Amino acid sequence: MYLLYLDESGSPNHKYFVVGGLLVHEQDVRRIATAVDDLELAIPNEMRPIEFHASEMRSGRGTWRGISGPVRAELIDRVADLLIHGPQAAVRPPVLFATAFHRRSFPHADPIERSYEEFFARANGFLGRIASAGDRHRCIAISDNTSVDKRLQPLMRAWQKGGATTAANIGRLESYAEVPLFVDSKQSRLIQLADFVAHWVFRAYESGDTRMLDRLLDNFDTNDGRRHGLVHLMRGYEDCDCAACASRR
């Protein structure tokens, strides 16, 4: 069994809407969560427990106000290392996925439906590919509590039964054992890591800050030189030089 942890980044007034996250083998979930817990040791006792919320870590806002810039920068680097290499004795490192939807390219499309559809399809493709090699697994998607939960669950049922509900070229999402489940990010270290992925992909496309995406790039699902796990949805991708679009060419 695999668990797909996901979160989103970007509001309606932004250029981009991003869905991002990580696919984790069931045997590694506890190991990864414990590794994030251990990172908390760098935080003063009186501030624990603390949620590893990427935008607050980067900017020093919210619960991360009062924690010095060097400490925050070190912890951001250590979270990235954990995503890249996985925890000690991991069955396999997490596999990353993200979809960056450019709103102006598709003014009549629903960013939520189109982005989540593509995101779930990419993870489904990975699971189908390893299944064809004899490594068969089902998947359950787990998301932060959001306002879209009532939309995503019936959409997943439609994607499981009939494939695409938009113009996306996807087949039925047969690898998912259930509709998405929703949890409080404060209680799930893996959701916090999904937030980390979504935030830094958003920063790369919205603001041109690619420093963290460049580090994480090789952990997005890639096969035969094509980067399936990172998708840039935009018109004219042929002229875009980002890693996702270059891979499609």
Side-chain angles (χ1 to χ4, degrees), residues 53-224:
H53 192 284
S55 66
E56 294 183 357
M57 292 176 71
R58 178 182 56 81
S59 63
R61 293 184 292 105
T63 55
W64 287 81
R65 182 178 292 123
I67 299 176
S68 71
V71 170
R72 289 187 283 108
E74 179 185 356
L75 285 172
I76 288 172
D77 284 340
R78 292 176 68 184
V79 171
D81 287 340
L82 178 60
L83 285 169
I84 293 166
H85 303 294
Q88 189 174 11
V91 173
R92 60 197 77 181
V95 183
L96 307 185
F97 295 88
T99 299
F101 179 91
H102 185 235
R103 295 176 185 272
R104 289 182 60 186
S105 289
F106 309 98
H108 303 297
D110 182 337
I112 292 173
E113 183 171 352
R114 185 67 182 86
S115 300
Y116 277 98
E117 181 178 55
E118 192 76 44
F119 176 85
F120 286 130
R122 297 299 173 145
N124 185 75
F126 169 82
L127 292 165
R129 193 170 69 244
I130 65 173
S132 67
D135 189 15
R136 297 182 178 276
H137 295 273
R138 290 290 187 180
C139 175
I140 293 178
I142 304 173
S143 176
D144 187 14
N145 283 327
T146 70
S147 60
V148 303
D149 56 346
K150 289 183 172 60
R151 292 193 58 197
L152 278 187
Q153 290 178 340
L155 280 171
M156 176 60 83
R157 291 286 292 158
W159 295 330
Q160 288 172 318
K161 289 181 178 180
T165 52
T166 71
N169 182 25
I170 68 169
R172 290 184 296 171
L173 303 189
E174 297 179 331
S175 297
Y176 294 91
E178 184 54 278
V179 296
L181 307 179
F182 294 84
V183 302
D184 184 351
S185 62
K186 292 184 176 64
Q187 309 305 325
S188 172
R189 292 301 196 189
L190 279 294
I191 291 292
Q192 293 168 33
L193 293 181
D195 168 77
F196 189 93
V197 175
H199 174 75
W200 286 106
V201 172
F202 175 78
R203 287 283 300 174
Y205 285 99
E206 182 75 12
S207 305
D209 178 5
T210 65
R211 52 183 164 153
M212 192 55 63
L213 179 57
D214 290 343
R215 286 189 61 188
L216 298 175
L217 200 54
D218 288 343
N219 288 76
F220 285 86
D221 178 38
T222 303
N223 185 57
D224 291 337

Side-chain angles (χ1 to χ4, degrees), residues 6-41:
L6 60 138
D7 203 355
E8 61 186 48
S9 186
S11 60
N13 61 323
H14 287 126
K15 294 179 292 184
Y16 279 91
F17 175 75
V18 170
V19 180
L22 60 158
L23 189 66
V24 180
H25 191 277
E26 61 177 319
Q27 295 180 10
D28 289 328
V29 170
R30 189 66 254 154
R31 295 186 182 103
I32 293 173
T34 299
V36 179
D37 285 340
D38 290 343
L39 296 182
E40 250 190 3
L41 296 176

